[in-house]
Amino acid sequence: MQIFQIRKWILESPPIEWAILQIRELLIGALRQGPIPQHVAFVMDGNRRFAKSHRMETVEGHNLGFEALAKVLEVCYKSGVKVVTVYAFSIENFKRSKYEVDGLMDMAKVKLAQLLQHGDLLDRYGVRIRVLGQRELIKPDLLADIDRAAKMTSRNGDAILNVCFPYTSHDEITTAIRNTVVDYSKQLPVQQRPFSESHIKHTIRSRHLSVAASRIRDRSKSPSSREESDMEDSSSSSTTLHPDSPPADPTVLEKEHEDSEEEFRSKYPDPESITSEILNDHMYTAGLPPLELLVRTSGVERLSDFMLWQCHEATDIVFLKCLWPEFDLWQFLPVLLEWQWRRKKDAERERGALSKARKMSNLDKAIFSSIRGVPPSNRRSQQSE
């Protein structure tokens, strides 16, 4: 504890603080010369362990964790990162005791207030706060504070801070699928098409039925046709008396079934058109850049149900042994440099593959042109030799 306080006192002394600030600006400026991830996510883990290891209160550990978050956010936005997503509270935490859940909720309220205290940072970089998760699980007073924070930063649009609270990826994916099903259960807007195929079929069928009905009425009125229509009357009466009997012509029923299916498909969206892009549009992160870098502190190497859908083949996942209050530019700088190095290697590999493909294409063209330039008789003589 004393070593930590001495280290903090030395780093906060004016000469050291000024020197560190200058070095920090130079390093951030150097980072901006290369590619920068547009979407970065953090699992802020280790606040309690940091407080326990330094013999301080748990609240103080969370306070230091938010100070670290403010510093990291400034590094991200100053470097050119557009979206930062942080894992603040999991839905699984509600399985704990009521006393602990209430304490976590109160802590979240304090954290949100601390975040709003850095309003100059949010306004300087045009950061808009978005809270992702199940709003109905949040207490009304805390929900009011969240809405107030979102309203205060709603005019900002240069960068985004996503606070996942309360959140799990399973819940996000389930909600996205449910909303997709709801959208595909709504009827499409009616389009008046007088010359559509279904409209023509319906008109022809109605005309045939009206003609058949008129003929039956004419036969029933003429005495000479009564005896001839006895069999028809008996069959029609049997059909009327026994409505559950199968139709006389199965092809008619099949045709009507196909027409009803076609009419249903014309009214509702086709479920076969649901793709991963459509599901992605129903996620909490819809419309945001793809996740390119995910960092978790405290040495735990698992995602803990965070950003499972957003992680893809090009996402770099980094697990660091340092605790979250210890995470700063000096811990984050090697991660960004390694990310830039990998992107440069990937770009060089793509350029090499493209150059090789062009060389092979030019070689094929040269061989083909050389073959076309030799007469057939010469080619036969060369083959016989």
Side-chain angles (χ1 to χ4, degrees):
M1 179 67 180
Q2 293 179 355
I3 296 176
F4 175 75
Q5 293 291 344
I6 294 173
R7 177 177 175 269
K8 184 178 179 181
W9 177 78
I10 293 175
L11 293 177
E12 290 181 353
S13 61
I16 301 298
E17 188 175 4
W18 180 85
I20 292 176
L21 181 61
Q22 298 302 316
I23 295 174
R24 186 167 152 227
E25 294 297 325
L26 289 174
L27 292 175
I28 293 176
L31 284 174
R32 292 181 63 90
Q33 302 305 315
I36 295 295
Q38 296 301 294
H39 189 175
V40 180
F42 296 101
V43 180
M44 304 179 295
D45 193 13
N47 293 335
R48 291 183 177 184
R49 272 176 282 173
F50 182 85
K52 185 177 181 180
S53 62
H54 290 82
R55 297 180 181 179
M56 60 177 63
E57 295 292 334
T58 304
V59 176
E60 184 64 22
H62 287 293
N63 291 335
L64 293 174
F66 251 79
E67 290 181 8
L69 175 61
K71 295 177 182 178
V72 171
L73 288 177
E74 187 172 8
V75 172
C76 288
Y77 295 135
K78 189 174 288 187
S79 301
V81 178
K82 296 298 182 184
V83 181
V84 177
T85 303
V86 295
Y87 200 6
F89 191 89
S90 172
I91 294 178
E92 297 298 322
N93 290 338
F94 285 105
K95 295 180 180 179
R96 303 178 182 181
S97 63
K98 184 178 184 303
Y99 173 78
E100 189 172 0
V101 170
D102 292 341
L104 289 172
M105 285 291 179
D106 294 338
M107 181 63 63
K109 192 171 184 179
V110 173
K111 288 181 178 181
L112 184 62
Q114 290 178 351
L115 186 62
L116 292 177
Q117 287 177 2
H118 296 84
D120 55 341
L121 172 65
L122 301 177
D123 294 336
R124 189 188 314 147
Y125 298 102
V127 181
R128 180 162 56 96
I129 296 178
R130 298 173 68 242
V131 177
L132 313 181
Q134 291 291 343
R135 293 173 56 89
E136 59 271 14
L137 300 178
I138 305 175
K139 290 184 176 181
D141 56 342
L142 179 57
L143 186 60
D145 293 340
I146 291 174
D147 293 337
R148 183 170 58 87
K151 186 177 180 180
M152 286 177 59
T153 61
S154 60
R155 296 182 180 180
N156 299 335
D158 296 335
I160 294 176
L161 173 60
N162 293 322
V163 181
C164 295
F165 178 91
Y167 170 92
T168 60
S169 279
H170 280 75
D171 179 75
E172 179 187 15
I173 296 172
T174 303
T175 303
I177 294 175
R178 186 187 304 115
N179 293 336
T180 303
V181 172
V182 170
D183 291 344
Y184 273 70
S185 301
K186 297 178 181 178
Q187 290 190 8
L188 295 172
V190 180
Q191 298 180 358
Q192 296 295 334
R193 296 185 300 172
F195 299 104
S196 64
E197 184 178 355
S198 59
H199 180 75
I200 294 173
K201 288 181 180 179
H202 179 73
T203 304
I204 294 175
R205 188 182 295 109
S206 61
R207 289 181 180 178
H208 281 309
L209 291 175
S210 61
V211 171
S214 62
R215 288 179 180 177
I216 291 174
R217 285 196 300 270
D218 293 341
R219 288 178 182 178
S220 61
K221 289 180 181 179
S222 59
S224 60
S225 61
R226 287 179 181 177
E227 295 179 357
E228 298 178 359
S229 61
D230 285 342
M231 295 300 296
E232 296 178 2
D233 293 339
S234 61
S235 61
S236 62
S237 61
S238 63
T239 305
T240 306
L241 293 174
H242 303 282
D244 296 334
S245 61
D249 191 356
T251 57
V252 175
L253 181 60
E254 183 178 358
K255 188 65 176 175
E256 291 179 354
H257 179 68
E258 292 178 357
D259 293 341
S260 62
E261 283 188 353
E262 183 181 355
E263 185 178 0
F264 178 83
R265 291 175 182 174
S266 63
K267 289 183 178 180
Y268 295 92
D270 185 9
E272 296 294 334
S273 63
I274 299 177
T275 61
S276 59
E277 288 78 11
I278 292 178
L279 290 177
N280 191 54
D281 292 339
H282 289 82
M283 296 291 166
Y284 295 144
T285 56
L288 300 180
L291 182 62
E292 297 182 275
L293 179 62
L294 188 147
V295 180
R296 176 166 186 163
T297 56
S298 79
V300 179
E301 298 185 359
R302 62 173 181 268
L303 297 180
S304 298
D305 209 355
F306 177 61
M307 297 281 109
L308 299 183
W309 177 270
Q310 288 76 9
C311 289
H312 52 91
E313 66 278 1
T315 303
D316 286 2
I317 302 176
V318 181
F319 299 103
L320 301 177
K321 292 184 179 180
C322 68
L323 302 177
W324 178 253
E326 301 171 339
F327 188 70
D328 54 9
L329 174 63
W330 313 110
Q331 304 286 343
F332 194 29
L333 181 62
V335 176
L336 290 176
L337 290 176
E338 184 178 0
W339 186 89
Q340 290 183 341
W341 179 80
R342 289 184 179 179
R343 290 301 172 271
K344 290 180 180 179
K345 286 294 182 181
D346 293 341
E348 292 176 0
R349 194 180 299 111
E350 291 179 1
R351 286 195 296 267
L354 183 60
S355 176
K356 186 177 180 180
R358 288 178 179 175
K359 289 180 180 179
M360 293 298 295
S361 178
N362 295 333
L363 181 61
D364 292 341
K365 290 180 181 179
I367 294 174
F368 181 72
S369 61
S370 63
I371 293 175
R372 291 186 62 185
V374 179
S377 58
N378 293 346
R379 288 203 298 268
R380 286 195 296 269
S381 63
Q382 291 176 2
Q383 293 174 359
S384 61
E385 293 176 358

